[in-house]
Amino acid sequence: MSFFDDSRLDDPAALQATDHLLRRLAGAGARVRAEIEFSSEVLAGLATDGFRPRAIVAAGRDARLVRAVLEPVCPVPFVAWPGPGLPGWTGPLDLVIVLGGTSEDFGAMSAASEAVRRGCGLMVASPENSPVAQASAGSRHAIRLPSQSDDQLAAAVAVLQGLHQLELGPAVDADAVAAMLDQVAIDCSPNNDVASNPAKDLSLMLADALPLVWGGSVLAARAARRVVEAMRLASGRPALAADAGHLLPVLASQPPRDVFADPFADKQEELRPGLVILDDGAGDEGVMETQRKLQEKAERHEVRVHVVTQAKGTDVARYAALTQHGRYAAAYLGIGLGRYGTPREDAPAVPGNPAEDPAW
């Protein structure tokens, strides 16, 4: 088990060594603005022309985020399709949305090429000459949003803006999303010490814990899944995002904490869970009651609880803030564990480049 060194969180050398990762996190708001700017000409030309698709199918990266935003208000049936190809019923009367990055995504490529073959309406957000862009090149009915990065959220914001202009989704204030991400970057900046940095504070809570992350609303639950992806990558430990029905038994199974245990005496000591609650201020009574049950169960079984609250802003802005807060905490968790920013030859190997991983 790797031990967490909290001094690394404020150590200039360790933070400088992870500057590439922290800069990518800080640039999230700028990427949203750039995505909208690069897509502005296409977005300006979108109009309904009196046509409404029979159904919408979203495929590729973050299709479930698009569904979480659209499903409550979309005037036509909406499906997020995680597998290759498309549902058997999809045809020329339907609109297929594909979010793709620069790397190969077989599911997204397969969905795009199948949409072209079936003559479906197609909205694609991907960089020019990317595998998904090439797969959709044969479509005469494609709306192509020229994505400029592998930032899933930025591409999703542009797609949601396009769907709003087609009268298929809610208004999305891209500037509000970008401003919220900028504020998280300020609050969670590496220049803020542990005492004033909410993300460093969360990383301390998770230093010797296995994260259990819960979000009550549809969007908060989606944010929870994004956060645990980053935490697994940063820590090399298991992390779980799930509904309360799955988390309550895990909390109930925890034995009493041994107050006399020496965490340094046995390096193989089993880690206890730590419950992270993402609260987007949805205000639903059922969600609030479930949160109360989780907190009571955790406290009864001596499981530490950390609540991240973001109750202001639009739905997508609150989702973005909760997700980014968790990603910052994951970055500081990796720094404290010595997985990021450790120049020693015996430092743990971390597969891939976290700054280029879609989870970030």
Side-chain angles (χ1 to χ4, degrees):
M1 180 179 78
S2 299
F3 284 97
F4 188 90
D5 181 359
D6 59 357
S7 69
R8 289 176 54 80
L9 301 184
D10 293 328
D11 176 32
L15 296 174
Q16 180 60 38
T18 52
D19 184 67
H20 62 294
L21 173 56
L22 296 171
R23 280 184 181 274
R24 176 169 175 79
L25 290 171
R31 289 193 294 276
V32 170
R33 293 188 184 91
E35 200 78 3
I36 294 296
E37 181 180 350
F38 284 120
S39 302
S40 59
E41 184 175 342
V42 176
L43 292 172
L46 292 182
T48 61
D49 296 327
F51 171 75
R52 176 171 288 178
R54 177 183 61 176
I56 299 175
V57 179
R61 310 180 315 153
D62 247 355
R64 289 185 175 88
L65 169 59
V66 178
R67 182 183 68 180
V69 176
L70 255 69
E71 206 165 36
V73 295
C74 188
V76 301
F78 190 98
V79 174
W81 190 254
L86 293 171
W89 49 262
T90 312
L93 298 179
D94 304 309
L95 174 64
V96 176
I97 301 167
V98 183
L99 286 79
T102 56
S103 58
E104 289 191 358
D105 180 338
F106 177 74
M109 294 163 56
S110 175
S113 61
E114 190 67 11
V116 172
R117 189 182 71 81
R118 299 190 195 184
C120 303
L122 187 59
M123 179 183 287
V124 177
S126 65
E128 187 178 4
N129 298 323
S130 69
V132 169
Q134 294 173 7
S136 63
S139 174
R140 293 177 296 175
H141 312 287
I143 300 168
R144 295 185 178 86
L145 300 176
S147 179
Q148 298 298 303
S149 72
D150 265 342
D151 191 309
Q152 300 179 16
L153 177 60
V157 169
V159 165
L160 290 167
Q161 179 62 42
L163 292 171
H164 170 66
Q165 293 182 212
L166 293 174
E167 299 180 5
L168 295 170
V172 178
D173 188 341
D175 287 335
V177 176
M180 189 73 80
L181 289 168
D182 289 345
Q183 187 59 52
V184 174
I186 293 171
D187 294 340
C188 301
S189 167
N191 297 322
N192 298 336
D193 61 21
V194 171
S196 60
N197 190 317
K200 289 182 181 179
D201 183 48
L202 176 53
S203 73
L204 288 174
M205 179 266 200
L206 296 173
D208 59 351
L210 298 178
L212 303 178
V213 187
W214 178 81
S217 71
V218 175
L219 279 172
R222 187 69 198 149
R225 283 160 174 76
R226 284 298 182 214
V227 168
V228 298
E229 288 175 3
M231 288 182 174
R232 284 194 291 260
L233 180 66
S235 67
R237 299 172 179 171
L240 175 65
D243 297 333
H246 294 95
L247 295 179
L248 285 168
V250 177
L251 296 172
S253 68
Q254 297 307 304
R257 186 183 294 273
D258 183 359
V259 297
F260 299 106
D262 180 358
F264 299 99
D266 184 2
K267 293 186 178 182
Q268 301 304 316
E269 182 186 5
E270 184 176 352
L271 297 175
R272 293 175 63 86
L275 178 62
V276 179
I277 293 175
L278 302 184
D279 181 1
D280 66 351
D284 181 86
E285 291 186 6
V287 171
M288 295 171 65
E289 175 63 17
T290 301
Q291 180 174 330
R292 183 186 64 79
K293 289 180 179 178
L294 281 167
Q295 289 182 271
E296 289 181 352
K297 182 72 72 175
E299 291 167 3
R300 192 175 305 126
H301 291 270
E302 301 178 356
V303 172
R304 284 171 292 183
V305 180
H306 189 107
V307 180
V308 180
T309 303
Q310 182 58 62
K312 296 180 180 179
T314 64
D315 289 350
V316 178
R318 297 198 306 274
Y319 162 86
L322 291 174
T323 304
Q324 200 70 354
H325 187 124
R327 286 173 172 165
Y328 264 105
Y332 292 128
L333 181 62
I335 292 170
L337 291 172
R339 291 173 59 85
Y340 297 159
T342 302
R344 304 188 319 268
E345 292 183 0
D346 60 341
V350 181
N353 182 356
E356 298 175 357
D357 192 282
W360 295 92

